[in-house]
Amino acid sequence: VEKSIFEIKNAYYSFKVESDTESDIFPIFGEYFFENGRYFIKTDQIDQLYDGFFFYTIVHENKEIIKNSDESYFLNLIPAQILKRLSKDFFIEIETTDTLSYYLNAHDNINPNLLFKVKINKENFSVEKIDLSDSNNILINSFLTISYNFNLKLNPSLFKFDLNKYPNYFIIEN
């Protein structure tokens, strides 16, 4: 699974994130594009762009842009990054498989009260669903892939920050 996931270089996801916790931000619907380690996430509430050098988190409600060089992911869906993070900080076990999917449980080594359940498509190794639950089995958040596509011709401007697209936004540099 890991070897095939690392071979994905370019993709588009349409997604939904929801939670059982009380929050005004959920559900979130959005689109996610990635290519060669760079990505762009577009939602109604928050966008995030990583151009290979800086992370730009655009909060539309506050008209602010947070620019930094740290890995401060709003939502990281790159399959290789997900598996790399989980394999580094988590104990991973295959819960079950069926003809279409792998179902993985990832137990957090640092915080044993957290459990990620990951559903991966067997044919193309796309992440189809990620549930994060606490020790009381309360769903903290759930990422659901609505649709996806690979090997697309993506416009390079998707991965370039352009301040002109955000008139009257305040920039915070960390």
Side-chain angles (χ1 to χ4, degrees), residues 7 16 29 35 88 97 105 113 122 138 140 146:
E7 292 174 2
K16 176 183 179 182
F29 292 89
E35 182 173 71
K88 177 183 168 195
T97 63
N105 286 336
N113 294 324
K122 273 188 175 179
I138 294 174
I140 296 169
I146 297 170

Side-chain angles (χ1 to χ4, degrees), residues 54-72:
F54 295 102
F55 297 88
Y56 300 88
T57 303
I58 299 108
V59 182
H60 298 295
E61 182 179 14
N62 300 342
K63 290 198 170 219
E64 67 183 20
I65 299 166
I66 303 164
K67 176 185 175 185
N68 63 39
S69 57
D70 295 334
E71 292 184 18
S72 57

Side-chain angles (χ1 to χ4, degrees), residues 52 60 85 154:
H60 298 295
R85 164 114 164 77
L154 297 177

